[in-house]
Amino acid sequence: MKLFVINPNSTASMTEKIIASARAVAAPGVQIEGRTAHGAPASIEGHFDEVMCAAHLLREVQEAERAQADAIVVACFDDPAIGACREVATGPVIGICEAAVKAASMIATSFSVVTTLPRSVPVIEELVRRYGLDHQCRRVRSAAIPVLALEEPGSNARLLIRDEILRAIDEDGCEAVVLGCAGMADLTEWLSLETGIPVIDGVSAATKFAEALVGAGLKTSKIGAYAVPNAK
Amino acid sequence: MKLFVINPNSTASMTEKIIASARAVAAPGVQIEGRTAHGAPASIEGHFDEVMCAAHLLREVQEAERAQADAIVVACFDDPAIGACREVATGPVIGICEAAVKAASMIATSFSVVTTLPRSVPVIEELVRRYGLDHQCRRVRSAAIPVLALEEPGSNARLLIRDEILRAIDEDGCEAVVLGCAGMADLTEWLSLETGIPVIDGVSAATKFAEALVGAGLKTSKIGAYAVPNAK
Amino acid sequence: MKLFVINPNSTASMTEKIIASARAVAAPGVQIEGRTAHGAPASIEGHFDEVMCAAHLLREVQEAERAQADAIVVACFDDPAIGACREVATGPVIGICEAAVKAASMIATSFSVVTTLPRSVPVIEELVRRYGLDHQCRRVRSAAIPVLALEEPGSNARLLIRDEILRAIDEDGCEAVVLGCAGMADLTEWLSLETGIPVIDGVSAATKFAEALVGAGLKTSKIGAYAVPNAK
Amino acid sequence: MKLFVINPNSTASMTEKIIASARAVAAPGVQIEGRTAHGAPASIEGHFDEVMCAAHLLREVQEAERAQADAIVVACFDDPAIGACREVATGPVIGICEAAVKAASMIATSFSVVTTLPRSVPVIEELVRRYGLDHQCRRVRSAAIPVLALEEPGSNARLLIRDEILRAIDEDGCEAVVLGCAGMADLTEWLSLETGIPVIDGVSAATKFAEALVGAGLKTSKIGAYAVPNAK
Amino acid sequence: MKLFVINPNSTASMTEKIIASARAVAAPGVQIEGRTAHGAPASIEGHFDEVMCAAHLLREVQEAERAQADAIVVACFDDPAIGACREVATGPVIGICEAAVKAASMIATSFSVVTTLPRSVPVIEELVRRYGLDHQCRRVRSAAIPVLALEEPGSNARLLIRDEILRAIDEDGCEAVVLGCAGMADLTEWLSLETGIPVIDGVSAATKFAEALVGAGLKTSKIGAYAVPNAK
Amino acid sequence: MKLFVINPNSTASMTEKIIASARAVAAPGVQIEGRTAHGAPASIEGHFDEVMCAAHLLREVQEAERAQADAIVVACFDDPAIGACREVATGPVIGICEAAVKAASMIATSFSVVTTLPRSVPVIEELVRRYGLDHQCRRVRSAAIPVLALEEPGSNARLLIRDEILRAIDEDGCEAVVLGCAGMADLTEWLSLETGIPVIDGVSAATKFAEALVGAGLKTSKIGAYAVPNAK
């Protein structure tokens, strides 16, 4: 099985981290192909950045399709352009927000999300509502760190995230926490140990869910909204 | 007041029609500036086309911003990239789907939408749900015509749309009908006469709502999700 | 265009303020006709007052209809008797709560409402839910002032409202604030300057939306719930 | 226990029917006091009629309150002015729509409503949504009969209602049917026998629920929206 | 009328308390038959306990059915196995959570629930959402006491509950409070006096609603999900 | 990885079919342990059967837990007793309805469910709403066949299911179909070929999702509603 994991921003160090997370959980025989959306913004912090990454992301999806990808993970928590990716792809396409919150809903009655910047909070709230899980999501929180701070060695980002998770436990009464940025993937285990709560990383969740959908013999439905784009 | 009406696809004849609709309803003193998203697909029929138009649309929004636009109308019923446009713009930005369905909700207890292709139906259903009006929307229907058929002289598109509206009245019990494509703007009056139901065109609705927001002294909020994009 | 702005309570000083707000935003050529619902309670603070004003309000709507009003604004934030007004009127009828929250939803991803008395909070919460915008409304708050305190020169009402807006920004994370009483219309600009957040007054919003609906050629649908009342 | 059952329209024959229904189900020791809202419209068919009855209804509620009513039933399926009645009353106030749909939700997983005129359908749909039972309500249907046809001896109204119930069973897959008009109260048993489905009359349901609330020691909460109206 | 009130746990002292509550509110002529689900857990604190009580509860329902019960109350706030009970029973079956929150929704615009252990909070939240009343429920709170502490003479449980109600009033702005455990039934009056807010006990509410449904001539619908179990 | 797949009914032939489906999709190294809930009803057709199977199902879950199961699949489309199973288990527990509808939501914008008996329709509708996917579920349909007909060689059950799927495509406009019974697992591929639409079997979906959750390092949260049952 060939699984493409696409980082929709152009920061290669983040792609490395994402690939590592995906490979760490991939089943035997699953080949993880990591891709960076060269030409996209260095980080995706809001709707504008989403648009600016989308065509680059789609180019990577088209290449994955040509390379006969069995499934595709879009590794940005804003789940940018997922519908468009699904039109292009034959196999399943899964965004890391959708994967993470649906995973959370299977192991806990409620969860909170901890993301990077405050401006991403409403974006994620809307996604969670679109996925129908607003009744299980206690709160979307920001640790008030820019995405790229997660790439800086020696930054205190991990401490800020840990503290926000502790506040989520205390104030929200949530039973699990979802990490709201692909760049947090490498912190998952440490955060879970520090906080004593299931901490869910979207990259791992999406990698495994993509494998699962392929393994169950499922492909993207092509008879409706996700049909191949109309030729122009 | 300078109001930019941007056609996010690249079909100039559609832009002409859109500009004509906007100018027909603009208040005295409101200057309508029409723009075409050159480089975008010829029509927007699904998520992929949305992505392919988005950067071109945003370029037009940025130019409108430099030209000191007071407000911007995005004239495609999929409301593509509205969040991103709002990040870029100072004044209000309104998509024609949002304008049309909110207008419908002010003059009727329920409405149905008639759009072009079946593949757009789920896209519009999701938009209506996002705007919180699913409880007033009886049904999103397709007249099974490609967007560009609306540009062909002598096509029977208008008859198909009329018949679908008549079916909506009969089967859905709706009190108003929203036209689900900018390319239908010139048919509004004829359709309303033929069917005896309020027929709502998003281009007119959005033009007037944009004027209204500016006239009420409102600008896009810049303290949250619609703040100016972060510099990269 | 003849636009009737009806104050459903009997306090003439409030009508003056409302007319001034409406005129300040009206487009050239729009004639604002202000009316007071003589015989109604001096202020509308709860469901009982709504009922007590409703027949007087409807009498004014009927007179507006006879005077060939193009549209009608009902200038009380409880949106009293809007359905009944729509049955009587040919043109659009818009309440200031509906106008304000729908305007807020076009310029911000979230908003809070600041109203007068605590007892109005659940009334407004129900309205917001009815309009389908509960997912964008962070909180409905009360500044704990009676409606008529807004009419007293020298009252500290404006300071209390400002402080409540500041709390809304701080505690709710809202991106805009809606003023929950017609009597606050004259404070809008000052409050926005003091608090740095878009502050939305329903009177201005409804005046412009009424103009917009008329300008877009829309009238109240007469084929369903808003048909002319059945003769008895 | 003194239970006031108020007919908010002015048709005395309907009041008689309502009183009979209430008395038929009242527990031993419960005194049913029937009242007609003299001065109100002869029937309530839409929002306008609701407003026109409301002040008369409230006058009856105030008199009931002075007469130390333990609870009040408002016997019109539009549940007019319930909030205002609750402000005035000390004991519980229950509308027949609320009672009937909540009763239905306790004996069936789904129900449909059969009302009189098509124009009442959206009014009832909104009520059902307000009560939070839209997920259990399959459909609100109209038998296309004016309210007062129910008062005419020899009218075929009962046959039309029966046929509409049979269609509801067949097309909606509902498990119970709610009668959407107080004037249908006397048909309940016959309709249930004819159709083989639980048929729920709001007058009986509200009478019993009012008794129940009183019997459980409950009164209308006076610390919020239902507090006694503010003195003017 | 013969009304069975079944305690789905095996603690006889709690059954006594429940029977006393039911009898205290029963109408003249209503015979309350109390039953204990011998063999069930001593208290129901979570999903596992629900399952462990369910077959024992159903055995009691079957016996009630054989004894020609007119209606059945299931006296545990988790409303365990209600659907199954309704399949078995001819008359209405009502759980105390459903009864209590629906009663609350008739006398107040909002309510909070105060239950025993934190682990029951999500269980009740889900019930409230299933009943469609999440928009009226401000918050489900725990007083952090095990169910059986309510049975211990001299425990400070009642003080902890009172304090939690006071916090609900202060923090939630609720207009009524629902007691989230059958074992609190005997505290209702005292708590209401201490806190000045309507306090709703599910046992009384369900007893009266069961009476009400029977009195209105309603039985469980047998044409759908609540039909008699299929023979195996 | 040791994955227990439990058939909550007592029909061993169905367990065989379920195990075969699970094994067919299991990743290399995943050991599928099939279990039958001996003592449970032969089929689960409604709430009563759910209760009657639950304790037997839980016994199997407890044994799986002692056998150090990494995850558990509950292979009945009513998702019986899932919360209780999660309290008992350390690893993830997933029901086949939840797995199937969440899988459907990842490959299609909408789906319909085809189940066995009409009485299961409301049960599944409630599950879908609980999982937050009612906005993506077009309709829950019944093929009007008893569960055990699926076990009879030579029954026409597969033809009835195929025809119902074809009706779903035609009438519902759904983009995928979910099979609403574990006993249909062996028909998935044939049905998909016959109907040309993605057909989703819950057993495969749940098996793969269980693997996925384990592979992503996730366990059931033990700090809230799914904590180990309180000792009695």
Side-chain angles (χ1 to χ4, degrees):
Chain A
M1 188 186 310
K2 217 165 8 172
L3 182 54
F4 280 68
V5 180
I6 307 175
N7 172 12
N9 73 36
S10 60
T11 299
S13 66
M14 199 175 290
T15 312
E16 291 312 306
K17 200 192 293 181
I18 289 165
I19 295 173
S21 290
R23 288 201 176 131
V25 299
V30 174
Q31 183 186 340
I32 301 291
E33 298 281 341
R35 291 290 184 270
T36 303
H38 299 294
S43 60
I44 300 184
E45 297 167 323
H47 307 86
F48 181 83
D49 293 349
E50 270 187 65
V51 165
M52 288 301 117
C53 85
H56 302 284
L57 163 62
L58 272 177
R59 185 196 61 227
E60 295 298 326
V61 173
Q62 287 169 321
E63 287 187 14
E65 187 66 11
R66 277 192 290 273
Q68 298 189 288
D70 290 294
I72 291 166
V73 167
V74 177
C76 166
F77 205 79
D78 290 357
D79 286 357
I82 292 294
C85 297
R86 285 180 179 156
E87 291 187 14
V88 169
T90 303
V93 178
I94 179 108
I96 65 173
C97 173
E98 183 170 1
V101 297
K102 288 185 179 169
S105 73
M106 293 172 186
I107 61 160
T109 66
S110 66
F111 59 89
S112 287
V113 178
V114 173
T115 189
T116 51
L117 290 179
R119 72 179 304 154
S120 292
V121 170
V123 173
I124 294 170
E125 288 174 333
E126 188 173 301
L127 281 175
V128 171
R129 182 171 179 267
R130 192 187 304 174
Y131 299 139
L133 293 175
D134 35 328
H135 65 295
Q136 292 189 261
C137 181
R138 292 282 185 199
R139 190 163 159 195
V140 181
R141 292 166 161 274
S142 147
I145 44 173
V147 169
L148 294 181
L150 294 163
E151 302 306 295
E152 292 164 17
S155 108
N156 67 341
R158 68 165 58 205
L159 303 179
L160 294 172
I161 296 167
R162 181 196 58 191
D163 293 353
E164 194 67 29
I165 293 176
L166 294 172
R167 271 192 291 277
I169 296 170
D170 185 40
E171 298 173 7
D172 308 349
C174 58
E175 298 181 4
V177 164
V178 168
L179 298 179
C181 180
M184 298 174 180
D186 57 330
L187 308 176
T188 316
E189 198 176 341
W190 180 79
L191 288 167
S192 194
L193 285 170
E194 287 277 310
T195 61
I197 196 173
V199 173
I200 298 166
D201 157 46
V203 178
S204 325
T207 299
K208 297 306 291 180
F209 276 9
E211 269 181 18
L213 294 169
V214 173
L218 297 174
K219 302 189 175 189
T220 297
S221 173
K222 290 291 164 186
I223 66 168
Y226 298 147
V228 172
N230 293 8
K232 300 289 163 185
Chain B
M1 187 188 310
K2 218 167 3 175
L3 182 55
F4 279 68
V5 180
I6 306 176
N7 173 12
N9 74 36
S10 60
T11 299
S13 66
M14 199 176 289
T15 312
E16 290 312 305
K17 202 192 290 182
I18 289 166
I19 295 174
S21 290
R23 287 201 175 131
V25 299
V30 174
Q31 184 184 339
I32 301 292
E33 298 281 342
R35 290 292 182 272
T36 302
H38 298 297
S43 60
I44 301 184
E45 296 168 322
H47 308 87
F48 181 83
D49 294 348
E50 272 189 61
V51 164
M52 288 301 116
C53 85
H56 303 284
L57 164 61
L58 273 176
R59 184 195 63 225
E60 295 298 326
V61 173
Q62 287 170 321
E63 286 186 17
E65 187 65 13
R66 278 193 291 273
Q68 299 190 290
D70 290 293
I72 291 166
V73 167
V74 177
C76 167
F77 205 79
D78 290 356
D79 286 359
I82 292 293
C85 297
R86 284 178 179 157
E87 290 188 14
V88 169
T90 304
V93 178
I94 179 107
I96 64 173
C97 174
E98 183 170 1
V101 297
K102 288 185 179 170
S105 74
M106 294 172 185
I107 61 161
T109 67
S110 67
F111 59 88
S112 287
V113 178
V114 174
T115 189
T116 51
L117 290 178
R119 72 180 302 153
S120 292
V121 170
V123 174
I124 295 171
E125 288 174 333
E126 187 172 301
L127 281 175
V128 170
R129 182 170 179 265
R130 191 187 306 175
Y131 299 141
L133 293 176
D134 35 329
H135 64 295
Q136 293 190 259
C137 181
R138 293 284 185 195
R139 189 164 160 194
V140 181
R141 291 165 163 275
S142 147
I145 44 175
V147 169
L148 294 181
L150 295 163
E151 302 305 296
E152 291 164 18
S155 107
N156 67 340
R158 68 166 58 206
L159 301 179
L160 294 172
I161 296 167
R162 182 197 57 190
D163 293 351
E164 195 66 31
I165 293 177
L166 293 173
R167 271 191 293 276
I169 295 172
D170 185 41
E171 298 173 7
D172 307 349
C174 59
E175 299 181 3
V177 164
V178 168
L179 298 179
C181 179
M184 297 174 181
D186 57 329
L187 307 177
T188 317
E189 199 174 341
W190 180 79
L191 289 167
S192 194
L193 285 170
E194 288 277 310
T195 61
I197 196 173
V199 173
I200 299 167
D201 157 47
V203 178
S204 323
T207 300
K208 297 306 292 181
F209 277 9
E211 271 182 15
L213 294 168
V214 174
L218 297 174
K219 301 187 174 188
T220 297
S221 173
K222 289 293 164 186
I223 65 169
Y226 297 147
V228 172
N230 293 8
K232 298 290 160 183
Chain C
M1 187 188 308
K2 221 171 355 179
L3 182 54
F4 279 69
V5 180
I6 307 175
N7 173 12
N9 74 36
S10 60
T11 300
S13 66
M14 198 175 291
T15 311
E16 290 311 305
K17 201 193 292 183
I18 288 166
I19 294 174
S21 289
R23 289 200 174 131
V25 299
V30 174
Q31 184 184 340
I32 301 293
E33 299 281 342
R35 291 291 182 274
T36 302
H38 298 296
S43 59
I44 301 184
E45 296 167 323
H47 308 87
F48 181 83
D49 293 349
E50 271 188 64
V51 165
M52 288 301 117
C53 83
H56 302 284
L57 164 61
L58 272 177
R59 184 196 62 227
E60 296 298 325
V61 173
Q62 287 169 320
E63 288 186 13
E65 188 65 13
R66 278 192 289 273
Q68 298 189 291
D70 290 292
I72 292 166
V73 167
V74 177
C76 167
F77 205 80
D78 291 355
D79 287 358
I82 292 293
C85 296
R86 285 179 179 156
E87 290 187 15
V88 169
T90 303
V93 178
I94 179 108
I96 66 173
C97 174
E98 182 170 0
V101 296
K102 287 185 179 169
S105 74
M106 294 173 185
I107 61 161
T109 66
S110 67
F111 60 88
S112 286
V113 177
V114 173
T115 189
T116 50
L117 289 179
R119 73 180 302 154
S120 292
V121 169
V123 174
I124 294 171
E125 287 174 333
E126 187 172 301
L127 281 174
V128 170
R129 182 171 179 266
R130 191 188 305 176
Y131 299 140
L133 293 175
D134 35 329
H135 64 296
Q136 292 190 260
C137 181
R138 294 284 185 196
R139 190 165 159 194
V140 180
R141 291 166 162 276
S142 147
I145 44 176
V147 169
L148 294 181
L150 295 163
E151 303 306 296
E152 291 164 18
S155 107
N156 67 341
R158 67 165 57 205
L159 302 179
L160 294 172
I161 296 167
R162 182 197 59 191
D163 293 353
E164 195 66 30
I165 293 177
L166 293 172
R167 270 192 292 276
I169 295 171
D170 186 40
E171 297 172 8
D172 308 349
C174 60
E175 299 181 3
V177 165
V178 168
L179 298 179
C181 179
M184 298 174 180
D186 57 330
L187 307 177
T188 316
E189 199 176 340
W190 180 78
L191 288 168
S192 193
L193 285 170
E194 287 277 310
T195 61
I197 197 172
V199 173
I200 298 167
D201 157 46
V203 178
S204 323
T207 300
K208 298 305 292 181
F209 276 9
E211 270 182 16
L213 294 168
V214 174
L218 297 174
K219 302 188 174 188
T220 297
S221 174
K222 288 293 164 185
I223 65 169
Y226 298 148
V228 172
N230 293 8
K232 300 289 160 184
Chain D
M1 187 187 311
K2 217 168 4 176
L3 182 54
F4 279 68
V5 180
I6 307 176
N7 173 13
N9 74 37
S10 59
T11 299
S13 66
M14 198 176 291
T15 311
E16 289 312 305
K17 201 192 293 183
I18 290 165
I19 294 174
S21 290
R23 288 201 175 131
V25 298
V30 174
Q31 182 184 342
I32 301 292
E33 298 281 342
R35 290 293 183 269
T36 302
H38 298 296
S43 60
I44 301 185
E45 296 167 323
H47 308 87
F48 180 83
D49 294 348
E50 271 188 63
V51 165
M52 287 303 117
C53 83
H56 302 285
L57 164 61
L58 273 176
R59 183 197 63 227
E60 295 299 327
V61 174
Q62 287 169 321
E63 287 187 14
E65 188 65 13
R66 277 192 291 273
Q68 299 190 290
D70 290 292
I72 291 166
V73 168
V74 177
C76 166
F77 205 80
D78 290 356
D79 286 359
I82 293 293
C85 297
R86 286 180 178 156
E87 291 187 15
V88 169
T90 303
V93 178
I94 179 108
I96 64 172
C97 174
E98 183 169 1
V101 297
K102 288 185 179 170
S105 73
M106 294 172 186
I107 62 160
T109 67
S110 66
F111 59 88
S112 287
V113 178
V114 174
T115 188
T116 51
L117 290 178
R119 72 180 304 154
S120 291
V121 170
V123 173
I124 294 170
E125 288 174 332
E126 187 172 300
L127 282 175
V128 171
R129 182 171 179 266
R130 191 187 304 174
Y131 299 140
L133 293 176
D134 34 330
H135 65 296
Q136 292 189 260
C137 180
R138 293 282 184 197
R139 190 163 160 196
V140 181
R141 291 165 162 274
S142 147
I145 45 175
V147 170
L148 295 181
L150 295 163
E151 302 306 296
E152 291 164 18
S155 107
N156 66 341
R158 67 165 57 205
L159 302 179
L160 294 172
I161 295 167
R162 181 197 60 190
D163 294 351
E164 195 66 30
I165 293 176
L166 293 173
R167 271 192 292 277
I169 295 171
D170 185 41
E171 298 173 7
D172 307 350
C174 59
E175 298 181 3
V177 164
V178 168
L179 298 179
C181 179
M184 298 174 181
D186 56 331
L187 308 177
T188 315
E189 199 175 341
W190 181 78
L191 288 168
S192 194
L193 284 171
E194 288 277 310
T195 63
I197 197 173
V199 173
I200 299 166
D201 156 47
V203 178
S204 325
T207 300
K208 297 306 292 182
F209 277 9
E211 271 182 16
L213 294 168
V214 174
L218 297 173
K219 302 188 175 190
T220 297
S221 174
K222 290 293 164 185
I223 66 169
Y226 298 146
V228 172
N230 293 8
K232 300 290 161 183
Chain E
M1 188 185 312
K2 216 167 6 172
L3 182 55
F4 279 69
V5 180
I6 306 174
N7 173 12
N9 74 36
S10 59
T11 299
S13 65
M14 198 175 291
T15 311
E16 290 312 306
K17 201 193 292 181
I18 289 165
I19 295 173
S21 290
R23 289 204 173 127
V25 299
V30 174
Q31 182 184 343
I32 301 292
E33 297 282 342
R35 290 291 181 271
T36 302
H38 298 297
S43 60
I44 301 185
E45 296 167 323
H47 308 87
F48 180 83
D49 293 348
E50 272 188 63
V51 165
M52 288 301 117
C53 83
H56 303 283
L57 164 61
L58 273 176
R59 184 197 61 226
E60 296 298 327
V61 173
Q62 287 168 321
E63 287 188 14
E65 187 66 12
R66 277 192 290 273
Q68 300 190 288
D70 291 292
I72 291 166
V73 167
V74 177
C76 166
F77 206 79
D78 290 355
D79 286 358
I82 292 294
C85 297
R86 286 179 179 156
E87 290 187 15
V88 170
T90 303
V93 178
I94 179 109
I96 65 172
C97 174
E98 183 170 1
V101 297
K102 288 184 178 169
S105 73
M106 293 173 185
I107 61 160
T109 67
S110 67
F111 60 87
S112 286
V113 178
V114 173
T115 188
T116 51
L117 289 178
R119 73 179 303 153
S120 292
V121 170
V123 174
I124 294 171
E125 288 174 333
E126 188 172 299
L127 282 175
V128 171
R129 181 170 179 267
R130 191 187 305 175
Y131 300 140
L133 294 176
D134 35 328
H135 64 295
Q136 292 189 260
C137 180
R138 294 283 186 199
R139 191 165 159 193
V140 181
R141 292 165 162 275
S142 146
I145 44 175
V147 169
L148 294 181
L150 295 162
E151 302 306 296
E152 292 163 18
S155 108
N156 66 341
R158 65 166 57 207
L159 303 179
L160 293 172
I161 296 167
R162 181 197 60 191
D163 293 352
E164 195 66 30
I165 293 176
L166 293 172
R167 271 192 291 277
I169 296 171
D170 185 41
E171 297 173 7
D172 308 349
C174 59
E175 299 181 2
V177 164
V178 169
L179 297 179
C181 180
M184 299 174 180
D186 57 330
L187 307 176
T188 316
E189 198 175 341
W190 180 78
L191 288 167
S192 194
L193 285 171
E194 287 278 310
T195 61
I197 196 173
V199 173
I200 299 166
D201 157 46
V203 178
S204 325
T207 301
K208 296 306 291 181
F209 277 9
E211 270 183 16
L213 294 168
V214 173
L218 297 174
K219 302 189 174 188
T220 297
S221 174
K222 288 292 164 186
I223 65 168
Y226 298 146
V228 172
N230 293 9
K232 299 289 161 187
Chain F
M1 185 187 312
K2 219 170 358 176
L3 181 54
F4 279 69
V5 180
I6 307 174
N7 173 12
N9 73 35
S10 59
T11 299
S13 65
M14 200 176 290
T15 311
E16 290 312 305
K17 201 192 293 182
I18 289 165
I19 295 174
S21 289
R23 289 202 176 132
V25 299
V30 174
Q31 184 185 340
I32 301 292
E33 298 282 342
R35 290 292 182 272
T36 302
H38 298 296
S43 60
I44 301 185
E45 297 166 323
H47 308 86
F48 180 82
D49 293 348
E50 273 188 63
V51 165
M52 287 302 117
C53 83
H56 303 283
L57 164 61
L58 272 176
R59 184 196 63 227
E60 295 299 326
V61 173
Q62 286 168 323
E63 287 187 14
E65 188 65 13
R66 278 193 290 273
Q68 298 189 288
D70 291 292
I72 291 166
V73 168
V74 177
C76 166
F77 206 80
D78 290 357
D79 287 358
I82 293 293
C85 297
R86 286 179 178 155
E87 291 187 16
V88 169
T90 304
V93 178
I94 179 109
I96 65 172
C97 174
E98 182 170 1
V101 298
K102 288 185 179 169
S105 73
M106 294 172 185
I107 61 160
T109 67
S110 67
F111 60 89
S112 287
V113 178
V114 173
T115 189
T116 50
L117 289 178
R119 72 180 302 153
S120 291
V121 170
V123 174
I124 294 171
E125 287 174 334
E126 187 171 301
L127 282 175
V128 171
R129 181 171 180 266
R130 192 188 303 174
Y131 299 141
L133 293 176
D134 35 328
H135 63 296
Q136 292 189 260
C137 181
R138 294 283 184 197
R139 191 163 158 195
V140 181
R141 290 165 163 275
S142 147
I145 44 175
V147 169
L148 293 181
L150 295 163
E151 302 306 296
E152 292 164 18
S155 107
N156 66 340
R158 65 165 59 206
L159 303 179
L160 294 172
I161 296 167
R162 181 196 60 189
D163 293 352
E164 195 67 30
I165 293 177
L166 293 173
R167 271 192 291 277
I169 295 171
D170 185 41
E171 298 173 6
D172 307 350
C174 59
E175 299 181 3
V177 164
V178 169
L179 297 179
C181 179
M184 299 174 182
D186 57 331
L187 308 177
T188 316
E189 199 175 340
W190 180 78
L191 288 168
S192 195
L193 285 171
E194 288 277 310
T195 61
I197 196 173
V199 173
I200 299 166
D201 156 47
V203 178
S204 325
T207 300
K208 297 306 292 181
F209 276 11
E211 271 182 17
L213 295 168
V214 173
L218 298 173
K219 301 188 175 188
T220 296
S221 173
K222 289 292 164 186
I223 66 170
Y226 297 146
V228 172
N230 293 8
K232 300 288 160 183

